[in-house]
Amino acid sequence: MAKLPKPEELGKIDYTPPSTGWMDTPVEFKPGYFCNAAKEKNLAGLHMPNARTWSVKDEDWKLPDNWKEIIMEGLRERLEKYRSLRIFMDICVRCGACADKCHFFIGTGDPKNMPVLRAELLRSVYRKEYTTAGKILGKFAGAREMTIDVLKEWWYYFFQCTECRRCSVFCPYGIDQAEITIVGRELLNLLGLNIDWIMGPANACYHKGNHLGIEPHTFKSSIEFFLDDIKTITGIDIEPSFNRKGAEILFVTPSGDVFADPGTYTAMGYLMLFHELGLDYTWSTYASEGGNFGFFTNNELAKKLNAKIYAEAKRLGVKWILGGECGHMWRVLSQYMDTWNGPADFLEVPKSPITGTVFENARSMKMVHITEFTADLMKHNKLKLDPSRNDDVRLTWHDSCNTARGMGLLEEPRYIAKQVCNNFFEMPENTIREKTFCCGSGSGLNASENMDMRLKGGLPRANAVKYVHEKHGVNTVGNVCAIDRATLTTAIDYWSPGVRVSGLHELVANALVMKGEKTRRTNLRFEPLPGVEQVDDDQPEEE
Amino acid sequence: MKLDQILEKNKAVILQGWVEIILKAYPDETSRFIKSRKDRFDNPVGHAISTGVEGIFNCLVEGGNERIASFIDDIIRIRAVQDFRPGQAVGFMFQLKSVIRDVVADDLARQDAGLVRELLEFESRIDEQAKLAFDIYMKCRERLYELKTDEFKRNTFRLLQQANLICEVEGQDASAN
């Protein structure tokens, strides 16, 4: 509820109210707040409607003449299809519990980034079209006409929401703002109104199998490149397999792990762990992307991009699928894959070949998250670990929105982190677990042109990191999300310099004592291990 | 009464007035939130402003210049990305002058020459720190552009390395930022 002003505040009332209310004030496109428009080739490559060259800054967005009809029909269709959407449109009492929970509101101070108001952008149009009060009373009932200004406002603000769902944790009705943004973006996509940072990777994924558009031979050679580094650090030769039929397990991870630092160190961690276990697994150059930018476009495209994972598992004849460290990838897999592209009845219920543990939680979906797999290994003492190799790491844990709020993966990563790292410090309670703050760059908003916006959105997260950095000397933020690894590195560099970002299996591999390894002198980043003196490369190695 | 005594006596009023002026740059709903929510993690902007202005004020009065940069940094780092023009971003430092002038107005009216001199000296001190604020603002903006290129390098380094388009010079890390 709105707060009553205090007497002294009343005495200072400015008698010049804004000339128009929020409904009638057209959005101002501020540089640094928005991403570039989707390119024609990427829209056309995915057979999306209204493929053309357009620019956000242009007055004319080159929309079809009947754009309004398309939007209203799209809304009607979705209200019929998703009962949840209709409830979310009707049920909000505007209590304001969500208002100050959004990282973008906290960072920007823009009231239209309050989740309640962001939803109201869509809800006001719904009221005008679907409620009696809205039809008759218009603005008095919070209803308004769909106009080109409203459309642009939708575009501006639905691409300023990372679908992190923190607001929904505080909503007494459980309204899921992420679903409202998802539907808002779906409607915009009916007119070819996406951002290129989403459409480009989605198009590349559709044609080449991964977001970067890397072809099979390059994907394979990228992973082989890591093997040289692993050999230098551990003295061990690893020979992973690709597209191998008859392997027990198919391993799928976000392509960011293979190409972008510091995710690459996490990928090296997977390779080392699987080698040490003697796991019968294979990589796939076809299902070479666990992430799914189609999810930030529409349901159909998300389903289409996801289909390759079960298809590849079937083609290779594996028993089950193991997934790498990821955020939105895991939400898509655990909550949608089974209903989109299942049933995967050609697979078996995942069972760890090392411990015999049957992953009952994955009975239907047939895919296990790597932190579930590794935590189980550690629980059964199957790994020889030397956590002192990470003694220079003072670790805190960032719960990635999708894995934490989306599916409750809270304990497994912490259990692993504490096994491999002696110095672990939690951030304050209202910034972790279900209440974790977003990195500010999720849901396809990790572009370069909106860097200002990303830093504002990353402020609440980085602010808590800064606190533990100053209080406990924390120097590393661990996480299980490829987008976090790429973007939190940047946000934390700005807000709390001196703290870096690390994937969990990078830390696992540093602590992992492998059979036949030489004395390790460096970690996976080729930095000296604590307490180990550096020697020249030409001196004989101690075996 | 000497200026430092007046400032000490009216510290709460001055800080409140200064915060009010800073918050005027935000919409009403936002400034209400920034003022009312006390938890530093739920409201990092409000926390940075309230602790920052107090820290800056104390340093100005007591002459402790070592810590003042970190208080100014806490506020400027936020304003550097919150679409303020450069002048607006650092302008809050100068706004302290008008808040203090309101407080000492009655004493000045008595044409206390000593007080006028002390006030002018104090305002010069504010000007000095405002220059520091501008330096910090520029560093933040420069950092922002560096971060863009750093991120680009991290995303492409491995591919360039594989394609033999990049090589490491001995003793240097080619991926170093």
Side-chain angles (χ1 to χ4, degrees):
Chain A
M1 297 292 284
K3 297 253 167 56
L4 283 175
K6 290 179 184 166
E8 58 269 30
E9 287 174 327
L10 277 170
K12 291 182 201 159
I13 279 186
D14 179 355
Y15 291 97
T16 51
S19 53
T20 52
W22 73 264
M23 276 195 190
D24 303 312
T25 309
V27 63
E28 181 196 346
F29 284 83
K30 295 179 184 169
Y33 272 69
F34 57 90
C35 298
N36 295 336
K39 287 180 185 156
E40 182 176 5
K41 64 170 185 178
N42 291 324
L43 289 165
L46 289 161
H47 314 292
M48 298 297 287
N50 202 23
R52 80 281 180 220
T53 300
W54 67 292
S55 166
V56 180
K57 289 176 195 158
D58 288 348
E59 184 71 26
D60 180 8
W61 280 9
K62 300 182 187 169
L63 302 176
D65 291 339
N66 63 338
W67 69 265
K68 191 171 166 182
E69 202 181 302
I70 294 170
I71 288 283
M72 298 317 289
E73 176 56 25
L75 180 58
R76 189 195 60 74
E77 194 187 314
R78 281 158 186 78
L79 285 164
E80 279 175 14
K81 198 157 80 173
Y82 307 122
R83 200 167 54 167
S84 56
L85 177 64
R86 185 134 213 165
I87 292 170
F88 296 162
M89 290 293 103
D90 285 329
I91 204 171
C92 176
V93 293
R94 289 183 271 186
C95 69
C98 64
D100 54 6
K101 305 304 185 294
C102 171
H103 51 286
F104 280 130
F105 171 67
I106 294 171
T108 63
D110 181 349
K112 284 185 185 170
N113 272 321
M114 292 176 172
V116 55
L117 198 40
R118 196 187 289 109
E120 205 69 9
L121 305 178
L122 179 60
R123 205 176 271 129
S124 54
V125 172
Y126 163 81
R127 285 200 195 97
K128 182 74 183 167
E129 189 76 10
Y130 292 97
T131 67
T132 310
K135 281 177 191 166
I136 297 169
L137 297 171
K139 273 185 208 162
F140 293 106
R144 65 174 171 173
E145 287 284 349
M146 186 71 206
T147 65
I148 193 74
D149 285 340
V150 171
L151 186 77
K152 290 187 173 183
E153 192 175 49
W154 281 12
W155 189 89
Y156 193 65
Y157 287 104
F158 288 138
F159 287 102
Q160 280 182 36
C161 166
T162 45
E163 303 178 6
C164 83
R165 301 164 100 199
R166 186 170 194 266
C167 50
S168 70
V169 172
F170 297 89
C171 175
Y173 290 99
I175 295 172
D176 189 343
Q177 171 64 38
E179 286 202 18
I180 295 176
T181 295
I182 287 168
V183 168
R185 289 191 187 183
E186 278 209 13
L187 295 173
L188 291 163
N189 270 282
L190 296 173
L191 303 174
L193 295 174
N194 208 326
I195 61 171
D196 205 56
W197 195 259
I198 291 175
M199 212 76 295
N203 188 31
C205 198
Y206 185 49
H207 292 278
K208 303 280 172 66
N210 55 69
H211 288 156
L212 280 92
I214 303 292
E215 296 186 341
H217 59 287
T218 313
F219 186 85
K220 183 168 176 278
S221 66
S222 293
I223 291 170
E224 285 168 347
F225 218 74
F226 299 147
L227 305 178
D228 295 340
D229 285 355
I230 293 171
K231 167 90 175 169
T232 307
I233 296 164
T234 66
I236 291 175
D237 284 307
I238 295 179
E239 291 179 19
S241 62
F242 297 87
N243 308 329
R244 180 164 59 87
K245 288 191 176 177
E248 182 180 355
I249 298 165
L250 168 65
F251 180 65
V252 179
T253 200
S255 62
D257 285 354
V258 182
F259 302 107
D261 291 343
T264 48
Y265 308 113
T266 304
M268 288 163 72
Y270 306 145
L271 287 160
M272 290 162 68
L273 175 68
F274 299 159
H275 173 84
E276 181 61 15
L277 295 171
L279 205 64
D280 179 14
Y281 83 107
T282 184
W283 295 78
S284 164
T285 58
Y286 171 59
S288 54
E289 178 63 74
N292 191 328
F293 272 34
F295 188 56
F296 311 132
T297 305
N298 63 36
N299 188 54
E300 288 68 33
L301 184 57
K303 178 180 173 180
K304 205 187 278 185
L305 296 185
N306 171 260
K308 63 177 179 267
I309 295 179
Y310 279 156
E312 183 68 336
K314 192 171 192 175
R315 185 179 77 88
L316 298 176
V318 300
K319 289 184 181 167
W320 56 281
I321 313 167
L322 183 61
E325 293 186 16
C326 58
H328 81 273
M329 155 180 163
W330 201 251
R331 183 160 158 211
V332 168
L333 298 174
S334 74
Q335 297 185 358
Y336 297 89
M337 179 163 73
D338 199 6
T339 41
W340 275 339
N341 293 308
D345 46 12
F346 51 90
L347 295 172
E348 294 177 13
V349 178
K351 180 179 172 183
S352 170
I354 316 297
T355 66
T357 298
V358 176
F359 293 94
E360 293 290 345
N361 58 321
R363 176 166 284 280
S364 180
M365 196 237 305
K366 313 288 197 313
M367 189 157 177
V368 172
H369 192 280
I370 193 160
T371 55
E372 296 169 333
F373 178 74
T374 305
D376 174 63
L377 293 171
M378 290 176 171
K379 189 81 179 170
H380 288 88
N381 292 316
K382 297 294 182 188
L383 300 177
K384 192 174 174 194
L385 300 167
D386 178 4
S388 74
R389 287 180 186 166
N390 285 320
D391 273 355
D392 55 342
V393 173
R394 297 178 71 80
L395 184 69
T396 193
W397 189 253
H398 163 65
D399 293 278
S400 305
C401 308
N402 284 296
T403 46
R405 267 192 291 276
M407 59 170 294
L409 203 66
L410 305 169
E411 298 305 332
E412 291 87 344
R414 284 180 169 77
Y415 179 76
I416 296 169
K418 289 174 187 172
Q419 296 279 322
V420 298
C421 189
N422 289 321
N423 309 304
F424 183 89
F425 307 91
E426 290 281 14
M427 285 183 274
E429 177 275 333
N430 50 341
T431 71
I432 56 169
R433 296 178 179 266
E434 290 89 346
K435 294 179 199 161
T436 185
F437 274 115
C438 180
C439 63
S441 305
S443 80
L445 303 186
N446 50 324
S448 171
E449 62 270 17
N450 64 335
M451 183 65 85
D452 285 57
M453 188 62 182
R454 287 174 44 197
L455 292 179
K456 283 183 275 238
L459 168 60
R461 167 75 297 151
N463 177 55
V465 172
K466 189 179 177 198
Y467 175 76
V468 287
H469 173 57
E470 288 169 354
K471 188 173 180 193
H472 301 295
V474 161
N475 58 15
T476 307
V477 179
N479 66 81
V480 283
C481 170
I483 289 181
D484 281 332
R485 285 191 281 279
T487 68
L488 260 185
T489 300
T490 304
I492 289 173
D493 235 354
Y494 181 80
W495 294 111
S496 183
V499 181
R500 70 180 184 188
V501 176
S502 173
L504 188 56
H505 279 75
E506 177 188 345
L507 300 172
V508 169
N510 279 332
L512 183 67
V513 180
M514 300 173 76
K515 290 182 278 292
E517 71 178 14
K518 68 178 189 184
T519 303
R520 287 208 215 170
R521 296 204 169 86
T522 71
N523 62 23
L524 298 190
R525 301 190 190 201
F526 285 100
E527 297 159 343
L529 286 177
V532 174
E533 294 214 359
Q534 288 303 288
V535 291
D536 294 336
D537 287 346
D538 53 2
Q539 285 190 4
E541 293 285 358
E542 182 191 333
E543 292 297 327
Chain B
M1 203 187 287
K2 292 181 72 75
L3 181 66
D4 54 357
Q5 291 170 318
I6 297 172
L7 294 178
E8 196 54 46
K9 192 177 143 204
N10 294 288
K11 182 174 161 180
V13 179
I14 292 169
L15 293 181
Q16 195 193 348
W18 197 11
V19 168
E20 294 283 344
I21 289 182
I22 292 171
L23 294 186
K24 268 190 184 165
Y26 296 94
D28 288 348
E29 299 92 327
T30 310
S31 66
R32 208 177 300 131
F33 158 72
I34 294 175
K35 261 192 287 187
S36 62
R37 178 67 76 159
K38 297 298 176 205
D39 185 280
R40 61 182 289 184
F41 303 107
D42 289 337
N43 181 12
V45 177
H47 179 76
I49 292 173
S50 61
T51 55
V53 296
E54 185 168 5
I56 295 168
F57 181 80
N58 288 343
C59 289
L60 284 167
V61 173
E62 294 157 15
N65 281 357
E66 301 80 28
R67 293 196 60 211
I68 198 166
S70 77
F71 292 118
I72 296 175
D73 187 293
D74 286 346
I75 296 179
I76 290 287
R77 198 164 287 272
I78 292 171
R79 294 170 80 82
V81 292
Q82 275 191 334
D83 43 82
F84 290 105
R85 292 191 302 277
Q88 287 176 316
V90 299
F92 80 97
M93 290 294 291
F94 299 109
Q95 287 165 336
L96 176 60
K97 289 185 190 177
S98 60
V99 177
I100 292 176
R101 283 176 200 163
D102 283 348
V103 168
V104 298
D106 290 344
D107 296 287
L108 283 179
R110 286 195 291 275
Q111 297 185 330
D112 179 344
L115 185 63
V116 171
R117 196 180 59 250
E118 283 180 63
L119 182 64
L120 289 175
E121 279 169 10
F122 191 81
E123 292 197 348
S124 296
R125 236 181 283 166
I126 295 176
D127 293 341
E128 276 304 309
Q129 300 309 325
K131 285 196 277 183
L132 176 64
F134 189 70
D135 289 345
I136 294 172
Y137 173 85
M138 284 310 299
K139 269 189 199 152
C140 288
R141 293 304 303 180
E142 282 167 15
R143 188 76 195 114
L144 191 140
Y145 291 106
E146 284 167 4
L147 289 171
K148 281 190 190 186
T149 51
D150 289 352
E151 199 171 271
F152 184 75
K153 279 194 243 173
R154 281 197 300 273
N155 289 341
T156 52
F157 174 70
R158 293 276 172 179
L159 291 171
L160 294 172
Q161 198 180 29
Q162 268 183 65
N164 285 325
L165 294 172
I166 208 165
C167 68
E168 287 180 45
V169 179
E170 205 169 324
Q172 282 182 25
D173 179 358
S175 70
N177 301 323

